[in-house]
Amino acid sequence: MADSVGRPTGKAAAGPGAVLSTLEQVRELGLARGLAVLRRVNQVDGFDCPGCAWPEGLPRHTLEFCENGAKAVAHEATPKRITAEFFARFSLAELEAREDVWLEDQGRLTEPMWRAPGATHYAPIGWDAAFARIADHLGRLASPDEAIFYTSGRTSNEAAFLWQLFARAFGTNNLPDCSNLCHESSGTGLGESIGEGKGTVSLADFEACDAIFVLGQNPGSNHPRMLTVLQAAKRRGCAIVSINPLRERGLVAFANPQEALGLLGHGTPLADRFVQVRVGGDVALLQGIAKALLELEDAAPGTVLDREFIDAHTLGFDAWRKALGERSFDELERGSGIPRAEMRELAALYARAKAVIACWAMGLTQHEHGVANVQELVNLLLLRGNISRPGAGPCPVRGHSNVQGDRTMGIWEKPTPEFLARLGAEFAFAPPQAHGFDTVAAIRALAEGRARVFVAMGGNFARATPDTPHTEAALRSAELTVQISTKLNRSHLVAGREALILPALGRTERDTQNGVDQFVTVEDSMRTVHRSQGRLSPAGADVRSEPAIAAGIASAVLSGRSAIPWAELAGDYDRIRERIARVIPGFEDMNRRVREPGGFVLPSGAGTRAFRTPSQRALFTVQTPRDTALPPGQLWLMTIRSHDQYNTTVYGEADRYRGVADRRAVLLHPEDLAEAGLEEGQAVELESHWRGETRKLAGFRAHAYDLPRGCAAAYFPEANALVPVGARSPRSGTPAYKSVPVTVRPG
Ligand SMILES: Nc1nc2c(c(=O)[nH]1)N[C@H]1C(S)=C(S)[C@@H](COP(=O)(O)OP(=O)(O)OC[C@H]3O[C@@H](n4cnc5c(=O)[nH]c(N)nc54)[C@H](O)[C@@H]3O)O[C@H]1N2
Ligand SMILES: Nc1nc2c(c(=O)[nH]1)N[C@H]1C(S)=C(S)[C@@H](COP(=O)(O)OP(=O)(O)OC[C@H]3O[C@@H](n4cnc5c(=O)[nH]c(N)nc54)[C@H](O)[C@@H]3O)O[C@H]1N2
Ligand SMILES: [Mo]
């Protein structure tokens, strides 16, 4: 644990605090129901933890989940219910005045609800009538491209496949998703560099590597089960390097809750090296390491670079080397905040390791130069052939538990022509070819009246997206908004003139169609597709499964226009999987293979050095480090998760691992605090700067923290109003949530 200035307070990540907190989470469920549900998390015959996309190994532990997974499960399995009376009691305006935590705490949504045009309250509506409202609105659009179908990453493969099929049968590729806000920079960068947008490593590689670089990721809070894997690697003698502006707790002191000593709270440091890079300084740092690596190679030719691999399997090395030669250590030090001596040490460590894995998350992707971050990291891996061999490779650690699978199923605004051809052939229709809106483009289209109907399969669009007031106005301007959800959130209240709430089953619940229990499938961060089956009784008799809702909407909207047997597909998920098997390469014989314990692994071309780039080689690409200089008084703000939230769902105020008590906090270096004329804990206003525009947010408190000079941190989603909707990677479209220039002043 750290206090507010980052000094360790002695408590380790995970450990007894986490165990107590886990028990606390399920207490509300009642002990029997709580333990019954936890026992099934991530088991072969159980349900996939909705917490994150980190894979499970075989054999499974009896308790294969973490504190934060337990929280996610407990919040879904809560016995509290929202009924029609609740919506009769509170108007939209009254609900809007409530805090997000309160909204979340009201329990599960159980009945379809309708806001009649301009009405002050939601009122009950039957499922068929709700579907008819959607059909009516979509039928009146001038073009199918005026509709937007958003997806969040908890949606199962089966639901996602039907969802994208419906959107395309309706006539649009407007399928933005939370991936646009998340790992899109990884997908774009890896796609170009190695020919596919996914990582290449598996859990077994973590048992064979000599070094693991963890960049821009806070696994202690966001992927806690990864710490156990890091611990095992470390015990074997594997070096672990954390590259992060923050000394994240889980990597500094980890107590494994599955071990007795861990329960006593003796944390062991996991990261051997902590590199406190400046926010936005990763390209400069990685180039510094690469430059130092080339020095080592020059000093002992033929011993450092893997020339055989470079010559046989890559393109662009010479051009990359030449561009790097033109950069000076001075400039790379300025950009990264890391002295060249440290870059040289890291290069030496990297050169000593026979096999290296690089893991990363939002600290690399959510920048204007997010794709450059990912591609420079790939360059570094390619130099020593650290790909497609045991213990080596890129490992983007995904967030939402099925975000990777949703994309595999075709939830993408930029589908490939091959995918569309196979989909069209299977279902005998002509899918639209034009690319659709990603998430930011969807906000713009709504704001400009080019899109008029917004339908969300899960998620919390109003809170997850940048530029909160602008995005909220865009949503409100829609003629119809539809939210298919498990829990109440801000997006139900920031509604279009007419709006619907359609209650969906979650992962933990029994899903029965035509009297037969169904299971769904998901794909984890390492390409394993496996089944997920909940056993709890559904939150209410009128709650439907996501595939059933997708099929219901499709039948109503396309009635008479589509030969696709929607009801038959949603009535037996094996029928959906048969179609997936025929449309998506790698899913052949899906129904049989997914019934095997642990499921099956999707093939990776890059994993076998058969790179699916046009040249069939991996590419060295030339990147420009970001100029991290800012006008005096401005700081680079990153918006990050606390230990006690799941994306837009905030569980509690305090960030236990960082020792920060309140969420409306901005953390800065003690000298930056002093320079801004601020005292510890003082009330402040934040102002962001982008292309001459400013955005303000009041009601924050400033705290001194162990951060590099010139950098600051605040929590997502509270700080989203500061992120301009236009500030994003021009290549991946990912918002620059982690690099917003701000001024902090007394407020
Ligand atoms: N409990 C819990 N689990 C979750 C989630 C959750 O909210 N709660 N969310 C899920 C989702 S959808 C996702 S995508 C993942 C997110 O998992 P993470 O990516 O770990 O989450 P963030 O809090 O966004 O943290 C990003 C990290 O990047 C660092 N960082 C910021 N800027 C930079 C930079 O410029 N360079 C470097 N090197 N580091 C930087 C921050 O200090 C922080 O440690 O977690 C998933 N799992
Ligand atoms: N400033 C800033 N903004 C960010 C980020 C950041 O780091 N900084 N991170 C971004 C990232 S990485 C992501 S992934 C996005 C997340 O964006 P989203 O995925 O849109 O948001 P979530 O908060 O995960 O969505 C939570 C809601 O999903 C619904 N839900 C939960 N489970 C289910 C289910 O099984 N089915 C259905 N139908 N609904 C369900 C519930 O109603 C719940 O309120 O936010 C992004 N926004
Ligand atoms: Mo994410």
Side-chain angles (χ1 to χ4, degrees), residues 334-409:
R334 262 198 317 276
S336 63
I338 303 299
R340 70 195 72 179
E342 202 173 336
M343 293 171 178
R344 291 200 169 106
E345 286 166 21
L346 290 166
L349 183 152
Y350 178 68
R352 270 196 310 275
K354 287 194 202 70
V356 177
I357 292 176
C359 299
W360 72 91
M362 298 304 101
L364 289 200
T365 61
Q366 295 176 332
H367 295 276
E368 285 184 27
H369 62 289
V371 179
N373 278 336
V374 171
Q375 291 195 301
E376 198 60 66
L377 185 56
V378 172
N379 290 338
L380 191 65
L381 292 173
L382 294 179
L383 286 173
R384 287 182 42 79
N386 273 314
I387 186 164
S388 340
R389 60 183 173 81
C395 179
V397 183
R398 305 275 163 181
H400 262 305
S401 49
N402 197 40
V403 62
Q404 186 159 314
D406 289 347
R407 181 58 60 85
T408 309
M409 291 298 117

Side-chain angles (χ1 to χ4, degrees), residues 76 104 109 150-155 178-179 181-183 362 366 400 457-461 463-465 484-489 492 504-507 546 639-641 646-649 716-717 719-720 723 737-738:
E76 181 178 301
E104 165 70 20
L109 295 160
Y150 175 74
T151 312
S152 169
R154 273 193 196 171
T155 293
C178 69
S179 196
L181 309 174
C182 183
H183 263 294
M362 298 304 101
Q366 295 176 332
H400 262 305
M457 180 61 89
N460 185 0
F461 195 87
R463 292 296 266 158
T465 46
I484 301 166
S485 319
T486 52
K487 303 285 291 276
L488 185 65
N489 65 43
H492 302 108
L505 288 177
R507 288 277 170 84
E546 290 181 348
T639 58
I640 56 175
R641 292 160 170 76
Y646 190 89
N647 293 344
T648 66
T649 305
F716 139 61
N720 285 30
V723 186
Y737 291 126
K738 298 284 193 272

Side-chain angles (χ1 to χ4, degrees), residues 50-53 66-69 71-72 153 178 181-183 214-224 242-248 251 275-283 285 360-367 369 373 397-401 403 626 637-649 651 658 707 711-716 737-739:
C52 74
C66 66
E67 171 198 357
N68 280 340
K71 277 183 210 163
C178 69
L181 309 174
C182 183
H183 263 294
V214 181
L215 299 98
Q217 192 197 348
N218 176 21
S221 291
N222 300 319
H223 304 93
S242 170
I243 297 177
N244 200 310
L246 295 177
R247 223 176 266 275
E248 297 292 19
L251 293 165
V275 186
Q276 196 163 27
V277 68
R278 292 191 61 177
V279 169
D282 297 271
V283 171
L285 171 66
W360 72 91
M362 298 304 101
L364 289 200
T365 61
Q366 295 176 332
H367 295 276
H369 62 289
N373 278 336
V397 183
R398 305 275 163 181
H400 262 305
S401 49
V403 62
R626 155 169 237 169
L637 176 78
M638 52 177 177
T639 58
I640 56 175
R641 292 160 170 76
S642 90
H643 187 64
D644 219 7
Q645 72 183 86
Y646 190 89
N647 293 344
T648 66
T649 305
Y651 302 131
R658 298 201 186 97
L707 266 164
C711 300
Y715 294 115
F716 139 61
Y737 291 126
K738 298 284 193 272
S739 40

